[in-house]
Amino acid sequence: MSQHKFNKRSVGQTALKITELGFGAATIAGNFKAVAPEDARNTVSHALDLGINYVDTAPQYGYGRSEHMVGDVVRERRDEVVLATKVGRLLKPAFNDVRTLPHNWANPLPFDQHYEYTYDAVMRSFEDSLQRMGVNRIDILYVHDIGVMTHGVEGNKPLWKQLETGGYKALRELRDSGVVSAIGFGVNEWEVLMDALDLGDWDVFLLAGRYTLLEQTSLSPFLEKCLARKTSVVAAAPFNGGALMGSGTWNYGKAPDHIISRVAELEAICKEFNVPIGAAALQFPLTHPAVCSVLTGPKSVSELDGVVAWWNTPIPNEFWTALVDRGLVAQGTPLPQ
């Protein structure tokens, strides 16, 4: 299969270079809707065949299912892939399918998850992921879903303390010894990343939904600080959980009225310029110099082909200028030249 032309950008100050379009492997694990194992593997393979080299997974996705599906593909093509996974959740057997936390996985593997960010937990999670995927190295290791959005104000305090007093040391040891090439966070809120920058030095942050065509809340001070610290950002969830696709959802729940109204305004300007809103949403985050990749999660080969078609859709500069002129993006938002 012929490869598409995907430019690559550096990850922080590391030697890693990842394609500007990445493949997120949450949806193939059956997020809300089951995906057949063969379809999941075929979608990962198709991404690599197209030339996408950045693949992102996590223990949480399908309670190990995503890492297994990704591993089945990438272990045979390991040198083609910049592979990322996450720490912060340990998996343990769920006997009789009894689980302690609610989840949205349609067909999870028979495990339960436990949040822990200690030194030992980070090391164990890392080694567990290597075994689930059947590989001997991981390129990027993210701290997953620490913060107020997931745990609440009080619930997050002891978990942050675990990271501060042990987990960060484990991550630094893994990076400093060359076992992993880059460390960072994978979260849905930029505020916790400001705290992370106070805690230590990070190569890359995977931030979902906070720098998109719909929402630029992270523009200042967060993205400004990332540039100053030379920390890259992977812009995940560019469709804001379906909001920019007309699903009526946002942040994993029902979209409020002001979001629905803003989406309608964006849809109208896209129609005016004959630009698919999916194409605009995909291409928008890369206009910021801190962003190194845009991460989407197609669950099938056909969905991935649709994403790539949007990726390659020409968008006139006048469209981006009109967004600014009509106040549809935040002041100071970088635009394509």
Side-chain angles (χ1 to χ4, degrees):
M1 177 174 292
S2 62
Q3 292 191 338
H4 288 254
K5 172 65 174 176
F6 292 108
N7 294 325
K8 295 179 181 179
R9 297 190 182 186
S10 296
V11 177
Q13 299 182 80
T14 74
L16 295 176
K17 291 185 180 296
I18 61 176
T19 47
E20 292 177 338
L21 181 63
F23 181 86
T27 310
I28 62 165
N31 194 16
F32 294 102
K33 183 178 180 181
V35 176
E38 184 175 352
D39 292 338
R41 296 186 192 100
N42 286 343
T43 306
V44 179
S45 293
H46 189 53
L48 302 187
D49 290 343
L50 290 173
I52 294 170
N53 82 335
Y54 172 45
V55 177
D56 179 271
T57 183
Q60 185 217 6
Y61 304 155
Y63 290 178
R65 179 175 291 278
S66 175
E67 287 190 324
H68 276 286
M69 296 299 100
V70 166
D72 286 345
V73 177
V74 304
R75 79 173 65 97
E76 304 302 329
R77 307 174 63 170
R78 187 63 190 88
D79 290 340
E80 299 176 40
V81 181
V82 175
L83 181 61
T85 192
K86 304 178 182 75
V87 300
R89 290 175 171 92
L90 293 174
L91 301 183
K92 58 183 180 180
F95 298 109
N96 300 316
D97 282 335
V98 175
R99 294 184 175 88
T100 57
L101 296 172
H103 65 85
N104 299 316
W105 305 109
N107 189 24
L109 295 185
F111 295 94
D112 196 11
Q113 63 174 7
H114 167 68
Y115 290 107
E116 190 174 341
Y117 300 87
T118 63
Y119 179 96
D120 289 344
V122 167
M123 290 300 194
R124 178 181 163 189
S125 180
F126 171 68
E127 291 175 2
D128 286 352
S129 290
L130 289 173
Q131 293 192 40
R132 275 190 291 267
M133 290 189 281
V135 298
N136 64 356
R137 78 178 193 277
I138 290 163
D139 300 299
I140 303 173
L141 199 58
Y142 293 115
V143 178
H144 200 193
D145 284 346
I146 197 169
V148 173
M149 181 178 288
T150 302
H151 305 289
V153 173
E154 293 305 315
N156 191 59
K157 288 179 180 177
L159 298 176
W160 186 263
K161 194 68 174 177
Q162 290 177 356
L163 179 67
E164 189 176 42
T165 59
Y168 178 63
K169 179 183 177 183
L171 291 162
R172 281 296 302 263
E173 285 184 8
L174 290 169
R175 184 182 65 182
D176 293 348
S177 65
V179 175
V180 301
S181 298
I183 58 173
F185 275 55
V187 295
N188 298 277
E189 53 191 315
W190 62 264
E191 294 85 352
V192 72
L193 301 178
M194 296 292 287
D195 295 334
L197 287 167
D198 289 337
L199 174 60
D201 292 316
W202 307 89
D203 303 297
V204 58
F205 294 137
L206 191 162
L207 180 62
R210 303 287 78 84
Y211 190 68
T212 69
L213 182 65
L214 177 63
E215 179 180 339
Q216 300 93 48
T217 52
S218 64
L219 188 61
S220 178
F222 170 66
L223 288 174
E224 293 170 345
K225 192 165 186 178
C226 286
L227 283 176
R229 293 283 290 271
K230 298 182 179 179
T231 299
S232 293
V233 175
V234 172
F239 308 121
N240 278 102
L244 286 170
M245 309 309 297
S247 68
T249 58
W250 179 71
N251 273 5
Y252 312 105
K254 187 177 183 298
D257 290 343
H258 75 279
I259 292 294
I260 292 173
S261 175
R262 177 52 65 97
V263 170
E265 292 180 281
L266 290 168
E267 287 175 334
I269 196 171
C270 285
K271 185 175 181 180
E272 179 183 336
F273 282 87
N274 196 28
V275 171
I277 193 169
L282 266 180
Q283 296 181 34
F284 170 81
L286 279 175
T287 61
H288 199 288
V291 173
C292 62
S293 187
V294 178
L295 191 70
T296 67
K299 64 179 179 293
S300 66
V301 167
S302 61
E303 276 195 11
L304 177 54
D305 284 341
V307 166
V308 173
W310 281 335
W311 186 260
N312 290 320
T313 298
I315 298 178
N317 286 341
E318 292 78 12
F319 169 79
W320 303 113
T321 304
L323 288 176
V324 175
D325 293 343
R326 301 181 196 184
L328 291 176
V329 294
Q331 287 295 319
T333 299
L335 295 175
Q337 299 299 313

